[in-house]
Amino acid sequence: MELTKSEMEIMDVLWESSRPLSRADLLAESDEKTWKDSSVHILLNGLLDKGAIQEAGLIKRSKTYGRIFTPTMTREEYFANTIFSHRHKPNTVGLFEALLNREDITDDDIDGISNLLAKKRV
């Protein structure tokens, strides 16, 4: 699944939130949006069709009810799936090597990765 720039902006807001969000919440919390407010319904339906988000219930807004949405995967899961969904998949070891060679990788990151690898081996 590949998301458009506008869909990614909505996903970023949802990923940063600690709770499901309504259409109105998304509009209020989208500081750097490149899409028009009137497009949010189309974008949400597109994300639902792609399986990136799901309905998490209803919330009462004045006299009506509106749907609230939550992501179906984490940001990290999305990017991992995106990397390996392309026809030209990277070599897993080469990908890890490239990630580990980045200057912004910390010792804590390396410790966390080592722990994950140790758990995967068991």
Side-chain angles (χ1 to χ4, degrees), residues 28-48:
E29 295 185 28
S30 297
D31 297 329
E32 300 177 15
K33 66 181 186 277
T34 58
W35 39 274
K36 296 181 181 184
D37 290 359
S38 58
S39 301
V40 72
H41 183 72
I42 294 167
L43 293 168
L44 287 170
N45 282 334
L47 289 167
L48 284 166

Side-chain angles (χ1 to χ4, degrees), residues 83-84 89-102:
I83 288 170
F84 290 104
K89 295 174 180 62
N91 171 282
T92 304
V93 174
L95 177 62
F96 270 91
E97 182 178 7
L99 289 170
L100 290 171
N101 286 333
R102 291 181 50 89

Side-chain angles (χ1 to χ4, degrees), residues 14-28:
L14 288 167
W15 282 323
E16 295 298 323
S17 177
S18 59
R19 62 184 173 82
L21 299 176
S22 68
R23 177 187 169 279
D25 296 331
L26 282 165
L27 290 171

Side-chain angles (χ1 to χ4, degrees), residues 37-77:
D37 290 359
S38 58
S39 301
V40 72
H41 183 72
I42 294 167
L43 293 168
L44 287 170
N45 282 334
L47 289 167
L48 284 166
D49 289 344
K50 291 179 179 182
I53 63 172
Q54 64 187 1
E55 290 184 34
L58 297 172
I59 189 169
K60 189 170 183 176
R61 294 274 182 195
S62 57
K63 294 181 180 182
T64 62
Y65 286 88
R67 299 180 295 175
I68 53 175
F69 305 94
T70 188
T72 58
M73 65 187 79
T74 66
R75 179 182 280 126
E76 293 75 17
E77 289 169 333

